[in-house]
């Protein structure tokens, strides 16, 4: 049976401080969680009842073993999560200063194993058959992951729904993308040719299209070949436009933010769920916004992903209680 969702991209261990409002040098205890954007999206969709899998790589170390255990516990198929000898499993620390300051510290050197995904090792038939396939901009940042990501997209050839999470993380790019996003735009443009849904915040859509104004950026994404453009506007909410001319602009759900770092991944998992359900744009966005808000009210990411009942309750209440 085909998967509802296969994601491809980052995985790692999140070490989050158990004290909020405390600088990292003074933190005395941490919680350990499964992390990585593409992986968290698979977890979020699994929490909503979807059959999911992730394509990624870990170190051949105890943290890698932990990630397999965590994926299995969340009901995400880990058959395409393989070890890379000699490279450590990535670890990410953060600081938690609610409501809007959550510095991240990525330990992905000398190279993250998830950037060692190789095109020759991909199960292209499974990728093509999945109802939704999800890739990220980080997957384009370095070889061999770049070639693998583009090969998977080209083989899928827009069968089903293909989501490109624009996911701009300049610190992961070793070339001039650090100072010149134009260096990455060529690769983004190639990925967009094979994409049906593009998702990104204002910085990310600007990297992908050269345009920052939300409506113009959505139009530029549609012109690049996608069928649905989703532009996250921060406090203004989310804008979604499709190629048929439908549009939805949904404000954020009120929430007391504890840690905003997993909200985008929860949004992504719910987005996939809504697309699979065949909902209209506005309903998809409302559910995705609610899922993101729920996770923002909790400390962790993966284990904080909401259930359908929790999302419905937040929408009914008009806020995350």
């Amino acid at each position: 049976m085909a998967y509802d969702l296969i994601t491809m991209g980052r995985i790692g261990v999140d070490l989050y401080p158990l004290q909020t409002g405390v600088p990292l040098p003074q933190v005395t205890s941490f919680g350990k969680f499964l992390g990585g954007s593409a992986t968290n999206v698979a977890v979020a969709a699994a929490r909503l009842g979807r059959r999911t899998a992730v394509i990624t790589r870990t170190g051949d170390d105890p943290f890698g073993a932990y990630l397999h255990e965590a994926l299995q516990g969340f009901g995400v198929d880990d058959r395409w999560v393989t070890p890379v000898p000699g490279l450590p499993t990535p670890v990410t620390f953060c600081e938690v200063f609610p409501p809007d300051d959550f510095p991240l510290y990525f330990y992905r050197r000398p190279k993250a194993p998830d950037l060692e995904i190789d095109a020759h090792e991909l199960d292209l038939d499974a990728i093509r058959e999945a109802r939704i396939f999800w890739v990220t901009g980080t997957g384009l940042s370095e070889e061999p992951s770049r070639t693998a990501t583009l090969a998977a997209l080209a083989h899928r050839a827009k069968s089903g729904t293909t989501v490109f999470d624009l996911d701009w993380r300049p610190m992961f790019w070793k070339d001039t993308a650090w100072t010149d996003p134009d260096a990455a735009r060529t690769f983004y443009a190639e990925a967009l040719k094979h994409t049906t849904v593009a998702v990104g915040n204002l910085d990310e859509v600007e990297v992908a299209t050269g345009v920052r104004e939300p409506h113009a950026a959505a139009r530029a994404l549609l012109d690049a070949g996608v069928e649905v453009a989703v532009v996250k506007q921060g406090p203004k909410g989310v804008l979604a436009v499709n190629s048929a001319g439908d549009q939805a602009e949904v404000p954020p759900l009120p929430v007391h933010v504890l840690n905003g770092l997993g909200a985008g991944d929860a949004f992504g998992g719910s987005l996939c769920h809504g697309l699979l359900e065949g909902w209209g744009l506005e309903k998809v966005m409302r559910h995705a916004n609610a899922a993101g808000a729920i996770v923002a009210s909790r400390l962790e990411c993966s284990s904080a992903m909401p259930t359908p009942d929790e999302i419905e309750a937040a929408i009914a209440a008009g806020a995350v209680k």
Side-chain angles (χ1 to χ4, degrees), residues 4 17 98 192 269 271:
D4 291 322
L192 285 169
L271 169 68

Side-chain angles (χ1 to χ4, degrees), residues 2-298:
Y3 290 87
D4 291 322
L5 170 66
I6 295 177
T7 68
M8 179 172 166
R10 290 202 310 275
I11 195 170
V13 177
D14 286 345
L15 294 174
Y16 284 0
L18 298 183
Q19 298 92 41
T20 61
V22 178
L24 206 53
Q26 280 74 56
V27 172
T28 58
S29 58
F30 297 85
K32 180 182 69 176
F33 307 102
L34 171 74
S37 179
T39 302
N40 279 339
V41 170
V43 170
R47 187 64 59 88
L48 297 174
R50 298 299 176 179
R51 183 171 185 249
T52 72
V54 61
I55 300 168
T56 191
R57 306 198 72 181
T58 70
D60 188 9
D61 54 23
F63 274 148
Y66 160 71
L67 294 175
H68 279 278
E69 293 173 2
L71 285 168
Q72 292 164 11
F74 288 126
V76 176
D77 196 322
D78 64 344
R79 69 181 63 195
W80 296 305
V81 181
T82 58
V84 181
L87 290 179
T89 297
V91 175
T92 302
F93 289 88
C94 78
E95 293 175 301
V96 181
F97 297 105
D100 58 4
D101 187 18
F102 308 102
L104 280 169
Y105 303 89
F106 294 100
Y107 291 79
R108 291 169 60 85
R109 296 299 180 193
K111 185 179 184 179
D114 54 64
L115 293 175
E116 284 290 311
I117 299 172
D118 192 288
H120 298 96
E121 299 173 353
L122 295 175
D123 187 338
L124 293 174
D125 289 340
I127 288 170
R128 187 177 179 88
E129 292 167 3
R131 297 177 68 190
I132 296 182
F133 180 52
W134 177 289
V135 299
T136 76
T138 294
L140 301 173
S141 67
E142 195 170 335
E143 295 290 4
S145 172
R146 178 183 297 156
T147 293
T149 299
L150 294 174
L153 289 170
H155 183 83
R156 184 167 169 84
K158 291 191 175 182
S159 59
T161 298
T162 302
V163 183
F164 181 19
D165 174 5
L166 302 177
D167 183 41
W168 173 241
R169 304 275 184 173
M171 71 286 291
F172 296 161
W173 292 71
K174 286 187 174 181
D175 54 26
T176 54
W178 267 97
T179 55
D180 181 12
D182 289 345
R185 191 165 295 135
T186 299
F187 302 116
Y188 273 67
E190 182 63 28
L192 285 169
K193 293 178 184 177
H194 307 290
T195 298
T196 61
V197 180
V199 183
N201 61 30
L202 295 177
D203 291 336
E204 291 164 343
V205 298
E206 184 175 16
V207 169
T209 68
V211 181
R212 187 174 183 86
E213 194 282 321
H215 290 82
R219 173 49 55 190
L221 289 168
L222 294 174
D223 290 344
V226 310
E227 298 169 11
V228 180
V230 180
V231 181
K232 300 175 183 177
Q233 305 176 84
K236 289 187 64 179
V238 62
L239 167 69
V241 183
N242 67 21
S243 55
D246 300 321
Q247 177 177 309
E249 197 157 6
V250 178
L253 204 63
V255 58
H256 179 72
V257 174
L258 177 57
N259 183 357
L261 292 175
D265 302 334
F267 181 100
S270 180
L271 169 68
C272 291
H273 176 68
L275 293 171
L276 290 168
E277 288 291 309
W279 294 339
L281 275 185
E282 182 166 346
K283 184 174 181 179
V284 172
M285 293 304 112
R286 289 195 182 280
H287 275 249
N289 263 1
I294 290 168
V295 172
S297 74
R298 299 169 177 175

